[in-house]
Amino acid sequence: MTRKPVSERTIRRLSHYSRCLRLAKSRGESVMTSNRLAAACTISSAAVRKDLSSFGEFGRKGSGYDVDGLLASIEDILGVADPPGVVIVGAGNMGRALIASGLSGSSGYRVRAVFDSDPAMIGREIGGLRVEPVDALSRILRELGEVIAVLAVGRGGGQAALDRVAAAGCRAVLSFNLEPMKVPEGVCLRFVEVSTELDILTHALRSPR
Amino acid sequence: MTRKPVSERTIRRLSHYSRCLRLAKSRGESVMTSNRLAAACTISSAAVRKDLSSFGEFGRKGSGYDVDGLLASIEDILGVADPPGVVIVGAGNMGRALIASGLSGSSGYRVRAVFDSDPAMIGREIGGLRVEPVDALSRILRELGEVIAVLAVGRGGGQAALDRVAAAGCRAVLSFNLEPMKVPEGVCLRFVEVSTELDILTHALRSPR
DNA sequence: GCGTGTGAACCTCTTCACAGCG
DNA sequence: CGCTGTGAAGAGGTTCACACGC
């Protein structure tokens, strides 16, 4: 079982493929082709085949890919077959939106706990979850085991939240706060950059074509 | 004024630089170096210099870059010096979160209108904005001129929302809904893929290193 | 000495065209 | 005949090392 490093670009595409496959599966489709996957992801079919073939021979020449089999293979590559739990830090609008949307995706992630530092928030129920005080982070994360923490806290609260989840043993963090942060050793931190997406769209609007 | 096409990768970095520069500016700093920008963006200083120098000579050898000047130049390249307005479709938790956070960034975007299809929502006030019915899209977008539409609607409502904003003349859309959509001619559609970010983090957690 | 600007080497990723198999 | 798997060619982006100017 020799795992070669997979580029982030590739992982992103695999994630997209898996979404498409889950959708096809839910529609009862049992076979998928590189062409249809490509159309759904707006890339070329050759790119899809290259991605997939670099991990093994998942397809049947002449017919295509088995939806269930390919989905299982991709989930195995990504490591999301049995996804880690998710905890949300910050029970404001963004935290609530993430819980309500089921993490805006058809993937298997589930929100296991919500934390907030505002005493007035503690104890409230959101989507079946009781809002916990941030002081409970260590205890609850120990109970939950491996989790991804999503930071959806107020302006300027990012670093403190990051430090706390890291101290509680969390090694993967997704932040909606864009303040620059000092990343604790051993922690993988990523950002959801809405403002950057807006910049990209603005550039598209304003550039000649 | 010959504009060469700028890759998305580069635009994304420029956007990040501009965030750092705005922060430096707000702190009263007047000079910035490629080294500090690089550290803030976790890339190499050579990459920063290459990015910037490909658009002109913005720096002073030996000292660095003038914060105000560089920021203005980057905003000009991105086209965000006078940013387009933003309208939000969907006044649920996500829509409210985006309004409350000021679009989670220090950039100059401002939310100009909020729409919802739920009659019970119409007329409510959110962050100083009255929730408008989606039927008012055409009229209000005509008043606002060039805008970016952010789709934060419920499960399965993406395509309908996209079609409506496109029909109202909007040419740039950012969607939190991940359903595959048929993109109207002339529209640039991008996605905020929280579930993909989670997949990337999961892969990081689960891969040997 | 310090920090920018840049050509050249380097490397990664994408595209193409086609062989191969059902 | 249809669709996958893949070597080869090509494009694009990154790193390196150093010259230049303050």
Side-chain angles (χ1 to χ4, degrees):
Chain A
M1 193 181 277
T2 48
R3 295 260 179 179
K4 302 151 201 163
V6 187
S7 79
E8 182 188 313
R9 187 67 77 94
T10 302
I11 297 179
R12 181 163 260 123
R13 282 194 302 263
L14 290 176
S15 174
H16 203 159
Y17 301 157
S18 73
R19 267 210 307 279
C20 295
L21 288 165
R22 268 188 288 268
L23 182 63
K25 185 174 182 171
S26 76
R27 287 173 173 167
E29 301 172 28
S30 65
V31 65
M32 174 61 72
T33 69
S34 61
N35 253 301
R36 278 189 289 147
L37 266 187
C41 303
T42 49
I43 59 178
S44 77
S45 64
V48 173
R49 292 198 299 277
K50 186 130 265 196
D51 274 339
L52 300 179
S53 70
S54 75
F55 295 103
E57 305 207 354
F58 302 125
R60 270 190 285 278
K61 308 193 181 191
S63 53
Y65 302 88
D66 173 62
V67 169
D68 288 351
L70 183 56
L71 179 55
S73 298
I74 291 178
E75 288 183 339
D76 184 55
I77 295 164
L78 290 175
V80 299
D82 176 38
V86 173
V87 301
I88 294 179
V89 183
N93 283 304
M94 184 58 79
R96 283 198 288 273
L98 293 169
I99 296 170
S101 71
L103 293 168
S104 61
S106 29
S107 36
Y109 296 100
R110 268 192 53 199
V111 179
R112 300 299 171 82
V114 197
F115 300 87
D116 205 294
S117 57
D118 180 1
M121 271 291 182
I122 314 300
R124 285 204 202 178
E125 197 151 311
I126 301 177
L129 291 168
R130 181 185 173 278
V131 178
E132 305 284 349
V134 287
D135 307 287
L137 260 168
S138 290
R139 176 178 58 78
I140 294 178
L141 258 59
R142 213 176 306 121
E143 291 171 15
L144 291 175
E146 187 184 59
V147 299
I148 295 172
V150 177
L151 309 186
V153 301
R155 197 58 82 75
Q159 183 74 62
L162 175 59
D163 291 343
R164 291 190 105 128
V165 299
C170 180
R171 289 168 45 229
V173 181
L174 181 61
S175 174
F176 281 79
N177 286 59
L178 296 186
E179 325 142 25
M181 307 185 204
K182 200 185 137 296
V183 183
E185 183 69 25
V187 172
C188 180
L189 171 63
R190 297 187 59 85
F191 296 89
V192 175
E193 303 179 310
V194 175
S195 72
T196 292
E197 296 298 330
L198 293 177
D199 283 346
I200 295 173
L201 284 168
T202 299
H203 178 80
L205 281 176
R206 306 262 164 105
S207 62
R209 174 159 319 273
Chain B
M1 192 182 273
T2 50
R3 294 257 179 182
K4 302 150 201 164
V6 187
S7 78
E8 182 187 316
R9 188 65 78 95
T10 302
I11 297 179
R12 180 163 259 125
R13 283 194 301 263
L14 290 177
S15 175
H16 203 160
Y17 301 157
S18 73
R19 268 211 303 281
C20 294
L21 288 165
R22 269 188 287 267
L23 182 63
K25 185 174 182 171
S26 77
R27 286 173 172 165
E29 301 172 28
S30 64
V31 65
M32 174 61 72
T33 69
S34 61
N35 253 301
R36 279 189 287 146
L37 265 186
C41 303
T42 48
I43 58 178
S44 77
S45 65
V48 173
R49 291 198 301 277
K50 187 129 265 197
D51 273 340
L52 300 180
S53 70
S54 75
F55 294 101
E57 305 207 355
F58 303 124
R60 271 190 284 279
K61 308 195 180 189
S63 53
Y65 302 88
D66 173 62
V67 169
D68 288 349
L70 183 56
L71 179 54
S73 299
I74 291 179
E75 288 183 338
D76 183 55
I77 296 164
L78 290 175
V80 299
D82 175 39
V86 173
V87 302
I88 293 180
V89 183
N93 282 304
M94 185 59 78
R96 283 197 289 273
L98 293 170
I99 296 169
S101 72
L103 294 169
S104 60
S106 29
S107 34
Y109 296 101
R110 268 191 54 199
V111 180
R112 299 297 170 84
V114 197
F115 300 87
D116 204 294
S117 56
D118 180 0
M121 270 292 179
I122 313 301
R124 285 204 201 181
E125 196 150 312
I126 300 177
L129 289 167
R130 180 182 173 278
V131 178
E132 304 286 348
V134 286
D135 307 287
L137 261 169
S138 290
R139 177 179 57 81
I140 294 179
L141 257 60
R142 212 174 309 123
E143 290 170 16
L144 290 174
E146 190 182 56
V147 299
I148 295 173
V150 177
L151 308 187
V153 301
R155 196 59 80 75
Q159 183 74 62
L162 175 59
D163 291 343
R164 292 189 103 129
V165 298
C170 180
R171 289 171 43 230
V173 181
L174 180 61
S175 174
F176 281 80
N177 285 60
L178 296 186
E179 326 142 22
M181 307 184 205
K182 196 185 140 298
V183 184
E185 183 68 25
V187 173
C188 180
L189 172 64
R190 297 187 59 86
F191 296 90
V192 175
E193 305 179 309
V194 175
S195 72
T196 292
E197 296 299 329
L198 293 176
D199 283 346
I200 295 173
L201 284 167
T202 299
H203 178 80
L205 280 175
R206 305 263 163 105
S207 63
R209 173 155 317 273

